[in-house]
Amino acid sequence: MARRNDSFVCQNCGAHYGRWQGRCDACGEWNTIAEEGAERPIAPGRAPRKGRRFALEPLSGETQDAPRLASGIAEFDRVTGGGFVRGSVLLLGGDPGIGKSTLLIQVAATLARAKERAAYISGEEAVAQVRLRAERLGLAGAPVELAAETSVEDIIATLSEGATPRLVIIDSIQTMWTDMVDSAPGTVTQVRGAAQTLIRFAKRSGAAVILVGHVTKDGQIAGPRVVEHMVDAVLSFEGEGSNQFRILRAVKNRFGPTDEIGVFEMTGSGLREVANPSELFLSERDLGSPGTAVFAGIEGSRPLLVEMQALVAPTSLGTPRRAVVGWDQSRLSMVLAVLEAHCGVRLSGHDVYLNVAGGLRIQEPAADLAAAAALVSSLANAPLAADAVFFGEVSLSGAVRPVAQTAARLKEAQKLGFARAIMPEASRAEGEGTLTLETVGSLSTLVADIAARGKRPARPERRAANE
Ligand code: TYD
Ligand code: MG
């Protein structure tokens, strides 16, 4: 067998090349190809291994329900789907400094205090640094087993002694290396090799393993992108740097739903769980100013109210700006196109900015109506009613389409003191008996309503939502 001589590996996607080149053909990234030690080839002339027979099983049969170990941090357990599954491996990704190490030391300490064995292995910080953080968080008394190590084989040998830990935290996978491959730590080959070895350890020992992974500037978990396929769950920890709110989101989960989020607040003494995120996202509302609309959304199984803020201003540029934070750029383009084509709203001479307050990232199309309302309100300089929530999907024809879970959205709005809901006509039946429902069949109706408000003499609407 010919020796594989493709030791140049793209550090972004893992593609192999025989020689160096500036751009990876597979993923299109520049300057990501580096030379790595070749993965060991099979010795020439060696007979192929004779296959071992294994039993094939029917789909039905006696299986124990995967036992879960709750971490004791409710927002974390919500995202994992009820706690750690024995022998499962979880990858936690996030920007540097977002709070991954803080979150995990809190998880480890909570478990350790509940008399479960939890180990925290840091490849980035010295033991003293981790201790200092634990002291700041008031967790120094928790019996977490701590080490600063980077050799996967040594870590596994140490942890295999005595009782198996219930939870092993590896911070981070990019700093780990295994003897199995020759490449330098941090390269794709090493990261993959180290992850494979740790996954095998998890399956064999029944310990739950959490791997921390750093994220590149375009949001991919660097290197460990190849690891994403190998692990049971991928969580991402997000937040705007300037904002204290942090969102934990399941990107992939073999043992639970992927649309749940957990909300935390970064405080001087670590991450605090936020049990009622709507209150928090609406806490700094600017009542009575044009360009803001409250969206009644759903994240996973939980209703969530957030404020959408828009600014539409005359442009001085040839091509007006369209900027969006916290929502989908193409979704904004679509709403703008529908406003132009079906509602007579001229936006080609205006810059458009759209922001979701609190650093939340919304993925639901149900936010279309709230976004459109905020945009038109800003353009017409007409504040929207402070006691109203908006939700509904806008179709390309300008119709307002129904969305799922109307009752849950309305209940949350009612709980927080809202009196009115602007929502799709077709969802009216589901929402009877809660708020005052103002249903709209098409976006043009809503635009006409808001424009009419703008023409009325200014009457500041200062009724606070939760007064
Ligand atoms: P860290 O957990 O080290 O981030 P990561 O592991 O994702 O790189 O968090 C670092 C940031 O969190 C740092 O900028 C300071 C902030 N922080 C607090 O605000 N309060 C705290 O109690 C702690 C421990 C950190
Ligand atoms: Mg860290």
Side-chain angles (χ1 to χ4, degrees), residues 11-24:
Q11 302 300 308
N12 186 50
C13 70
H16 283 259
Y17 295 92
R19 58 182 177 78
W20 187 85
Q21 58 190 61
R23 183 168 185 264
C24 174

Side-chain angles (χ1 to χ4, degrees), residues 282 285-289 292-296 305 307 383-391 409-410 412-423 434-438 453 456 459-467:
L282 294 179
R285 277 184 73 196
D286 192 4
L287 296 171
S289 60
T292 65
V294 175
F295 165 52
L305 304 190
E307 188 181 71
L384 300 168
D387 59 354
V389 295
F390 296 78
F391 61 89
R409 296 174 202 267
L410 294 173
E412 177 81 356
Q414 194 173 31
K415 202 169 88 191
L416 286 158
F418 287 87
R420 280 186 266 176
I422 322 299
M423 55 180 267
T434 47
L435 313 180
T436 308
L437 308 183
E438 297 176 16
R453 287 175 76 87
R456 258 181 255 151
R459 178 172 57 90
E461 194 117 20
R462 289 218 165 263
R463 236 180 325 145
N466 21 5
E467 260 169 21

Side-chain angles (χ1 to χ4, degrees), residues 259 261 276-278 281-282 293-308 327 356 360-371 388-393 403-414 416 418 421-423:
D259 46 6
I261 64 165
N276 192 339
S278 298
F281 288 120
L282 294 179
V294 175
F295 165 52
I298 298 276
E299 285 286 341
S301 60
R302 169 158 68 180
L304 192 61
L305 304 190
V306 280
E307 188 181 71
M308 301 193 77
W327 202 41
V356 177
L360 190 73
R361 194 161 47 82
I362 298 179
Q363 285 159 339
E364 266 193 297
D368 292 352
L369 197 65
V389 295
F390 296 78
F391 61 89
E393 183 179 342
V403 293
Q405 307 202 47
T406 298
R409 296 174 202 267
L410 294 173
K411 221 172 112 205
E412 177 81 356
Q414 194 173 31
L416 286 158
F418 287 87
I422 322 299
M423 55 180 267

